[in-house]
Structures are given as C-alpha cells and as structure tokens.
C-alpha cells in the first residue's frame, strides 16, 4: 500500500506502528462496500492496539492471548485505581 493510498485519519499512527495505519485504512475503505470485512479489520486493529499497549506497559506475553485477556491484564495491572474502558 503506497503512501498515497493511506487514510489521513490513520496516517499519524505510522510513526508508532505502520500496521495500524494499514488496518485502519482498509477498514475505512471497506466501510460501504463490504461491512463484514470492515468489522474484521477493525477487530484486527483493536487487537493489535491492545497488544502494543500491553507491550509498552511491560505486560505482553509470548503466548497468544485473546483480546479479552489482554484488556483484563491492562485494566488490572496498568492503571493504578483507574478504570480502562
């Protein structure tokens, strides 16, 4: 995917993780023509974002985790007394 094809709504994430830009751009592209694919890309975007957040917080594990497990680990370990929703 060339730079001209990237969505301006997600391009700011490129310096953090290019895959986020790609998934966000694809979700946006499929929004009208293929809503199911759009939802799949949004799910992948959310899973990657949660994994990156966990890794940055020192909570990433090598074994695969479902999105719920990563979210629970972030909620209980990362935010001292604050709720993550």
């Amino acid at each position: 995917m060339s730079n001209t094809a990237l969505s301006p709504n997600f391009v700011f994430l490129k310096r953090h993780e290019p895959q986020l830009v790609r998934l966000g751009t694809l979700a946006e592209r499929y929004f009208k023509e293929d809503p199911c694919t759009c939802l799949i890309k949004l799910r992948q975007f959310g899973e990657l974002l949660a994994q990156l957040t966990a890794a940055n917080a020192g909570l990433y594990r090598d074994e695969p985790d479902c999105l719920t497990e990563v979210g629970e680990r972030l909620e209980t370990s990362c935010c001292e007394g604050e709720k993550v929703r």
Side-chain angles (χ1 to χ4, degrees), residues 8-36:
N9 293 321
F10 297 97
V11 76
F12 73 95
L13 295 170
K14 189 174 184 178
R15 67 185 176 110
H16 301 289
E17 177 58 51
Q19 184 74 344
L20 289 173
V21 181
R22 189 181 77 75
L23 290 169
T25 298
L26 288 172
E28 194 173 74
R29 181 178 302 153
Y30 290 122
F31 174 70
K32 286 186 179 178
E33 65 188 52
D34 191 353
C36 290

Side-chain angles (χ1 to χ4, degrees), residues 35-60:
C36 290
T37 300
C38 173
L39 290 174
I40 290 168
K41 296 303 173 192
L42 287 174
R43 172 67 185 235
Q44 292 171 335
F45 180 93
E47 287 175 346
L48 179 58
L49 186 60
Q51 289 171 353
L52 292 169
T53 302
N56 286 335
L59 302 171
Y60 184 76

